[in-house]
Amino acid sequence: MKICVVGLGYIGLPTAAMFASKGNKVLGVDINEKIIKIINNGKIHIEEPGLASIVNKTVKQGYLKASLNPEKADVFIIAVPTPNKNDNFFSCDLTHVLAATRKIIPYLDRGNLVIIESTIAPRTTEDYIKPLLENAGFKIGKDLYLVHCPERVLPGKILWELENNNRIVGGITSICADKASKVYQTFVKGKIIKTEAKTAEMSKLMENTFRDINIALANELTKICYELEINVLDVIKMANMHPRVNIHQPGPGVGGHCIAIDPYFIYAKAPETTKMIKLARDINNNMPAFVVEHTERILNNKQAKIAIFGITYKGNVDDIRKSPALEIIKLLKEKSYSIGIYDPHVKNMDCLSFEEALRDAEILLILADHNEFKNMDYDKIKKLMKKVIIFDTKSIISKDNSNNIRILNYGNLYLTK
Ligand code: SAJ
């Protein structure tokens, strides 16, 4: 099989490498020339465990190649970003998906399969992609096959989940779904479930919405428990001992390019009916303000320096897209605090060394659960900071090894009232 993957980001590149590792000829296409060069040199431009070696190997073997332009192939996979639009509903911006579809049209032949992996609003494959391909002269389900096969892998575990997760294949017709199912069988060990495109679109969006709502519930519970002076972390631990309960973890907010975005795609399609989903978004969006409010209250000193550890949207990744830490930094800067940022996963001009970020700070905010922060050199921290308080919004530091440092988290925050 020859496969052309359009979009070489967090999903497109691992998918391309996975197909290449099974002996398929894969051409990866991207609009960024720098990325093309990096990949053709056998290197990668993102952090993801295991990805560097599989890309290096498949490029060297000649199975994976990158280019600015598509070529003829049997299968075309589109994995480009779908951000929120800047409208009142934060609807799904299809600009990149439609551009990628237009870009492959001149290379399509009868019998080809087109797969949309990008996360899209419900009905997009049927209402937007299908007409575009039909206008180019193809009859979908007869001489060209079209499916939505949502990616559902977790950043940080992408390669393992690509192989082992169940996969939903939503076809415009059942033949389309059959064709795509055979393609994914080359590496998917999980179940491949065939359905309609619109069902696949909605089920993908609901997976992330389910998570968003459950995180919002944990975040709301945090505020309630603070008010009522109860340890929220103990409450969650205990409630989750019930076999059918799974309250998620509270934190500084919800970031990343999936959970903070996808629920709006549903909201924008049915704004009058979408109540709970929108409320969960609002609750999670409000968490950075909650962190700032309590940081200020604990500090009680407008001149103090604040150290921030972790600016990625979650632990052990290098991705800062929609990270709540960025919002927290913005809010603190607006209030004119001096800030020292440290993140061992991010190469960014604003990031300082561990020592520089901490020096003379009066509080340390932990905003991402990187492994590096679970066990730190507390003697060093004590020496560097002016006042030694850690506000651990991800509840990752255990009291036992923190060397008598004052560790605040959502569970004991009420004790500072
Ligand atoms: N978070 C919490 N509390 C929790 C869990 C997560 O505050 O209990 C926060 C994280 O810190 C982060 C955000 O939520 O800011 C999202 O992180 P995540 O690890 O839950 O998810 P993503 O965005 O990295 O990946 C999700 C996954 N979806 C689900 O688990 C349902 C992944 O499987 C999807 O493929 C991905 O979205 C996607 O691309 O849609």
Side-chain angles (χ1 to χ4, degrees):
M1 241 183 336
K2 171 137 186 207
I3 300 174
C4 178
V5 179
V6 185
L8 293 174
Y10 285 90
I11 300 303
L13 182 57
T15 303
M18 193 59 104
F19 275 113
S21 74
K22 303 292 171 192
N24 299 292
K25 279 269 181 197
V26 181
L27 176 74
V29 176
D30 203 285
I31 53 173
N32 186 335
E33 206 168 345
K34 231 162 94 186
I35 294 178
I36 304 295
K37 279 195 186 133
I38 293 172
I39 294 169
N40 283 334
N41 280 326
K43 304 243 163 55
I44 58 171
H45 60 290
I46 47 179
E47 185 184 307
E48 178 61 36
L51 185 61
S53 70
I54 179 171
V55 167
N56 188 268
K57 195 169 153 207
T58 50
V59 169
K60 271 194 186 143
Q61 289 170 334
Y63 286 115
L64 178 63
K65 197 176 76 170
S67 165
L68 286 170
N69 292 301
E71 286 172 9
K72 293 217 174 251
D74 304 297
V75 180
F76 291 83
I77 298 178
I78 293 179
V80 294
T82 43
N84 295 119
K85 259 194 200 161
N86 230 345
D87 56 20
N88 288 341
F89 304 104
F90 306 106
S91 63
C92 176
D93 185 349
L94 291 174
T95 312
H96 303 298
V97 173
L98 297 178
T101 310
R102 287 192 193 98
K103 197 166 181 168
I104 61 167
I105 284 176
Y107 303 90
L108 291 176
D109 278 330
R110 293 181 119 239
N112 283 172
L113 169 65
V114 176
I115 300 173
I116 312 293
E117 285 211 12
S118 305
T119 304
I120 42 183
R123 307 199 58 89
T124 298
T125 313
E126 215 171 304
D127 295 351
Y128 291 89
I129 315 289
K130 183 177 169 239
L132 208 56
L133 296 171
E134 281 178 341
N135 283 342
F138 293 101
K139 184 107 186 69
I140 306 298
K142 287 269 188 302
D143 47 23
L144 188 72
Y145 306 98
L146 174 63
V147 300
H148 174 54
C149 181
E151 61 78 12
R152 299 148 85 207
V153 288
L154 193 71
K157 273 182 79 182
I158 291 180
L159 291 173
W160 190 90
E161 290 209 353
L162 266 181
E163 271 198 301
N164 294 285
N165 284 4
N166 300 329
R167 197 90 207 204
I168 298 173
V169 175
I172 288 294
T173 67
S174 61
I175 302 170
C176 296
D178 289 343
K179 298 259 179 203
S181 157
K182 291 216 175 70
V183 170
Y184 285 103
Q185 269 165 23
T186 50
F187 69 80
V188 172
K189 292 182 189 148
K191 278 193 203 136
I192 297 176
I193 301 122
K194 291 184 259 181
T195 182
E196 291 174 291
K198 59 188 176 192
T199 315
E201 290 160 349
M202 194 55 141
S203 63
K204 155 73 193 190
L205 295 173
M206 276 317 291
E207 290 164 8
N208 283 345
T209 300
F210 170 90
R211 206 155 159 84
D212 197 41
I213 287 176
N214 280 285
I215 298 167
L217 188 62
N219 283 333
E220 184 166 281
L221 181 63
T222 297
K223 293 181 181 176
I224 297 168
C225 285
Y226 174 75
E227 207 174 299
L228 303 182
E229 305 188 355
I230 302 168
N231 185 322
V232 67
L233 301 176
D234 288 345
V235 170
I236 292 174
K237 207 190 291 166
M238 272 156 228
N240 284 351
M241 285 175 181
H242 183 287
R244 285 177 295 284
V245 175
N246 178 19
I247 302 174
H248 287 30
Q249 292 307 307
V254 169
H257 214 259
C258 313
I259 296 184
I261 290 184
D262 298 357
Y264 290 118
F265 294 0
I266 301 174
Y267 170 60
K269 283 279 181 177
E272 290 300 320
T273 323
T274 309
K275 304 275 193 251
M276 193 197 291
I277 295 172
K278 174 63 167 51
L279 185 60
R281 280 284 66 243
D282 293 343
I283 291 171
N284 288 335
N285 280 341
N286 189 253
M287 287 313 283
F290 177 82
V291 173
V292 169
E293 180 195 324
H294 287 282
T295 304
E296 282 206 286
R297 187 181 54 76
I298 298 158
L299 263 179
N300 197 21
N301 174 8
K302 295 263 175 214
Q303 263 71 51
K305 177 181 167 184
I306 299 172
I308 289 185
F309 275 23
I311 58 167
T312 57
Y313 83 93
K314 65 175 184 178
N316 306 320
V317 297
D318 65 352
D319 194 342
I320 58 168
R321 290 177 298 176
K322 293 221 175 258
S323 170
L326 302 182
E327 180 66 17
I328 290 168
I329 291 166
K330 191 181 126 221
L331 293 173
L332 291 172
K333 278 188 176 162
E334 278 167 11
K335 290 170 183 284
S336 306
Y337 284 99
S338 111
I339 292 169
I341 302 168
Y342 169 65
D343 192 315
H345 292 260
V346 180
K347 291 169 206 80
N348 175 304
M349 289 182 28
D350 287 343
C351 285
L352 306 170
S353 67
F354 179 93
E355 288 80 5
E356 281 171 302
L358 275 177
R359 188 164 291 122
D360 296 328
E362 297 189 26
I363 192 165
L364 163 58
L365 296 186
I366 307 276
L367 300 180
D369 44 350
H370 293 319
N371 286 342
E372 290 89 338
F373 302 155
K374 288 180 185 163
N375 252 315
M376 295 189 285
D377 185 341
Y378 296 103
D379 283 334
K380 208 167 168 187
I381 291 178
K382 272 185 178 167
K383 277 189 205 131
L384 286 163
M385 289 181 78
K386 197 163 162 189
K387 271 192 194 154
V388 196
I389 303 175
I390 300 181
F391 182 13
D392 173 15
T393 68
K394 299 295 288 187
S395 329
I396 50 165
I397 301 177
S398 103
K399 267 221 147 66
D400 310 337
N401 52 23
S402 57
N403 213 356
N404 293 328
I405 288 182
R406 192 162 167 224
I407 312 275
L408 300 174
N409 57 34
Y410 287 165
N412 62 19
L413 193 60
Y414 71 86
L415 296 173
T416 63
K417 271 184 177 180

